[in-house]
Amino acid sequence: MSAAVIIGASHAGVQAAASLRQAGWQEPVILLSAEKDYPYHRPPLSKGYLAGEKDEEQLLLRAPDFYREQGIELRLEDPATSIDPVARKVVTRSGSFGFEKLLIATGSKARPLPLPGAGAQGTFTLRSMMDARALRDGMRQASAAIIIGGGFIGLEFASTAIRHGLDVTVLEAQPRLLSRSLPAALADFIRDRHVSSGVRFRFGDQVAAFEVSGGRVTGVRLGDGQVLAADLVLVGVGGEAETALAQSIGLDLAAGGIHVDGHGQTSRPGIYALGDTAAFHNAYATAPMRLESVQNAVDQAKSAATHIMGGNAPLVAVPWFWTDQYDLKVQMAGLARPGCTEIVRGDPADGAFSVLQLEGDRLVASYTVNRAADHMASRRLISEAPAVNVALASDASVPLLRAVKAAA
Amino acid sequence: MSGSITIRFRKESGQQIEVQARPGISVMEAAVMNNVSGIEAECGGACICATCHVYCDQVTEGVLPEMSGEEDDMLDMASAERRATSRLSCQLRVSDKLENAVFVIPENQF
């Protein structure tokens, strides 16, 4: 059997299937999905979908008949249950499928909060279309929401929920928002934008339990015994890679994900891992890491498809990511490194500014609010790494691409 | 499909695809739902990847929404040449005013 079997019809999985066909893979492509929905874009689930601006059809990654037309056997509700790496077959709920190449694109799952009362009606996490449907229905009946975790999912939901008319409180265990992913100036700016719309924040509190009555959540109890009332609780405390299948066949792990090289190949030749579940030592990182982003999913899938077809296009893309909250478009490129210097372009008071992080005179990371041109320029500057002129880069009226030192 | 709008996508090679689009969705979504290749739309319509770049024809003159600063910035960095008629198709909504409009797809989006 010479099929390519892809576990997980995630953004990475679907891209891998499409890229394999595009690159001329003639053998069967079997795309296994645990979900019943045609593969969809996840980022809008916490934004446009919940806000009612986009319907489910608008979220589809591809038209339903794309898969048939491309000769991709999409098997919905047929999750992989085990892998036999010696006989080279995947067992699923419905049967078993031999493979020549195996691509694991199982994504990540919401980290649970195993506290008393977890799972009560009215408590939610948000990763999948099913989650989003349940949360949307929950929002209709709710009046007060507590969001546990001030990360991207939680903040995007906060901006949607407050505009929906809910009372919204965000609980963040750290002293500030997004401490691992954004510079303080930017995180505080985002916090202030939320506060101006009526969102309340509590920093540094521990959550001890969900308060439940008659099976329904009624609030959250904090470590000091104080109870905050709510009829909807969203838990957004991060994601964990789905690595159970990979671990069952002894694939090497790193940073909580499946360790892969630049081609997406795992420690076992012919078996690849892509997207949220993969950990890769990116050229811009100091160690292997997982990147939960559309960009990373797409680029890893393309590299893997190329490698499977005998080509050589290891992943070198600059990581980028975005979040939309209210009228703010926040875009990130590159990866922060310890010891960077930071410059701010533009005035946060204007609602549009950028924070640039440099190592020496090279740009390594960029965070922009409503400055898309800076974001796009940053991607190029991080990739090409010319010496940056700090004075020019600090001047928001100078296009960022011009803020480079003349070649010696 | 009742009330659907006919729009066309043309490759620079000349190949043309006619699609029926429901009013209210974006031109990008109309392309994706009809398997029009060459509209990548990696970001799903968030105006951040510039991979749904199209060139618009005269039918669209005066009926398209004004370009946001954000779209303008993204188009500057699009992979294919930017022209006076360049737009990001995720920012264009299908309406009856776009009946028979033709959107030309650039050779490359990356």
Side-chain angles (χ1 to χ4, degrees):
Chain A
M1 188 64 185
S2 48
V5 172
I6 303 168
I7 303 177
S10 54
H11 206 132
V14 170
Q15 182 66 49
S19 292
L20 278 170
R21 281 292 180 238
Q22 208 167 12
W25 177 263
Q26 300 287 332
E27 308 298 334
V29 174
I30 297 163
L31 180 56
L32 302 171
S33 177
E35 298 184 52
K36 66 176 183 183
D37 295 294
Y38 276 93
Y40 51 87
H41 287 276
R42 283 180 202 277
L45 292 178
S46 51
K47 315 176 186 96
Y49 175 74
L50 280 186
E53 292 154 7
K54 286 197 180 216
D55 63 26
E56 294 187 10
E57 189 183 19
Q58 290 173 281
L59 263 48
L60 295 179
L61 283 170
R62 307 278 186 169
D65 57 6
F66 168 83
Y67 304 94
R68 189 173 31 78
E69 285 181 12
Q70 291 289 312
I72 295 164
E73 187 181 343
L74 172 63
R75 302 185 63 86
L76 299 176
E77 292 186 278
D78 198 10
T81 52
S82 67
I83 300 167
D84 182 338
V86 178
R88 298 186 87 74
K89 64 174 188 175
V90 173
V91 177
T92 72
R93 185 183 287 167
S94 77
S96 89
F97 301 89
F99 63 82
E100 181 184 331
K101 306 290 182 187
L102 178 66
L103 299 93
I104 302 175
T106 42
S108 52
K109 58 189 171 195
R111 182 174 292 135
L113 211 51
L115 297 174
Q121 258 192 325
T123 63
F124 300 89
T125 54
L126 181 51
R127 291 292 310 174
S128 68
M129 180 73 89
M130 290 250 292
D131 294 339
R133 282 188 197 117
L135 184 56
R136 189 190 53 186
D137 292 346
M139 279 169 71
R140 291 197 180 121
Q141 298 155 27
S143 57
I146 288 179
I147 298 163
I148 302 177
F152 291 115
I153 292 273
L155 293 172
E156 288 169 1
F157 177 68
S159 77
T160 305
I162 198 93
R163 284 178 291 175
H164 188 74
L166 299 187
D167 182 89
V168 179
T169 303
V170 176
L171 307 181
E172 169 55 53
Q174 299 296 315
R176 73 160 173 96
L177 296 177
L178 301 161
S179 49
R180 277 174 304 150
S181 37
L182 289 186
L186 218 112
D188 293 348
F189 177 84
I190 292 173
R191 177 202 60 205
D192 292 347
R193 178 66 187 80
H194 279 272
V195 168
S196 76
S197 287
V199 175
R200 281 188 298 273
F201 288 90
R202 294 181 65 112
F203 292 94
D205 287 319
Q206 296 303 310
V207 176
F210 299 92
E211 290 287 310
V212 180
S213 168
R216 284 203 57 89
V217 75
T218 58
V220 165
R221 181 148 41 87
L222 303 179
D224 63 5
Q226 192 181 166
V227 172
L228 307 176
D231 49 7
L232 186 158
V233 178
L234 176 74
V235 178
V237 293
E240 292 172 349
E242 285 276 14
T243 57
L245 283 171
Q247 284 180 273
S248 75
I249 58 168
L251 297 183
D252 289 350
L253 302 184
I258 306 169
H259 198 186
V260 299
D261 65 15
H263 306 293
Q265 194 162 232
T266 67
S267 50
R268 195 180 268 266
I271 300 183
Y272 298 77
L274 321 165
D276 286 11
T277 196
F280 168 52
H281 191 155
N282 185 296
Y284 302 94
T286 51
M289 65 184 298
R290 295 196 307 115
L291 284 171
E292 293 187 14
S293 74
V294 166
Q295 168 272 324
N296 184 59
V298 168
D299 288 334
Q300 274 187 330
K302 289 177 178 173
S303 288
T306 301
H307 192 249
I308 286 170
M309 295 305 294
N312 181 36
L315 185 64
V316 290
V318 173
W320 58 266
F321 185 73
W322 82 95
T323 176
D324 293 326
Q325 297 165 36
Y326 311 100
D327 49 352
L328 305 180
K329 170 151 281 170
V330 181
Q331 297 167 297
M332 294 143 265
L335 296 169
R337 285 166 173 271
C340 284
T341 54
E342 215 163 88
I343 56 178
V344 178
R345 259 170 83 77
D347 186 352
D350 298 335
F353 68 105
S354 302
V355 177
L356 307 178
Q357 291 179 336
L358 293 103
E359 194 172 54
D361 53 9
R362 314 287 156 163
L363 184 64
V364 297
S366 148
Y367 311 83
T368 65
V369 178
N370 294 346
R371 286 185 68 92
D374 281 1
H375 171 72
M376 294 302 276
S378 294
R379 283 199 226 165
R380 191 176 291 176
L381 293 178
I382 293 167
S383 163
E384 295 172 1
V388 168
N389 178 317
V390 170
L392 290 177
S394 307
D395 182 347
S397 67
V398 176
L400 186 53
L401 278 181
R402 294 217 198 108
V404 294
K405 292 180 182 166
Chain B
M1 205 191 293
S2 67
S4 68
I5 310 297
T6 302
I7 58 177
R8 295 183 176 83
F9 294 93
R10 193 166 70 225
K11 299 287 182 64
E12 295 226 278
S13 63
Q15 185 204 359
Q16 190 159 299
I17 305 139
E18 182 177 304
V19 314
Q20 303 299 315
R22 122 173 106 88
I25 69 171
S26 71
V27 170
M28 175 278 283
E29 288 161 347
V32 170
M33 285 175 200
N34 289 280
N35 293 331
V36 176
S37 64
I39 302 274
E40 300 292 336
E42 267 178 21
C43 77
C47 196
I48 171 155
C49 69
T51 61
C52 66
H53 182 192
V54 292
Y55 304 121
C56 303
D57 75 347
Q58 63 276 11
V59 171
T60 66
E61 260 173 46
V63 306
L64 294 179
E66 241 181 79
M67 191 181 293
S68 66
E70 186 177 39
E71 183 183 349
D72 195 5
D73 287 346
M74 296 305 288
L75 277 169
D76 273 344
M77 307 295 280
S79 172
E81 171 203 11
R82 180 170 184 174
R83 300 177 192 161
T85 57
S86 285
R87 293 298 301 257
L88 293 181
S89 57
C90 71
Q91 300 299 303
L92 310 176
R93 296 232 161 267
V94 172
S95 74
D96 53 5
K97 291 184 181 139
L98 289 186
E99 184 76 35
N100 293 320
V102 178
F103 298 93
V104 175
I105 300 172
E107 283 294 330
N108 53 305
Q109 298 281 12
F110 299 105

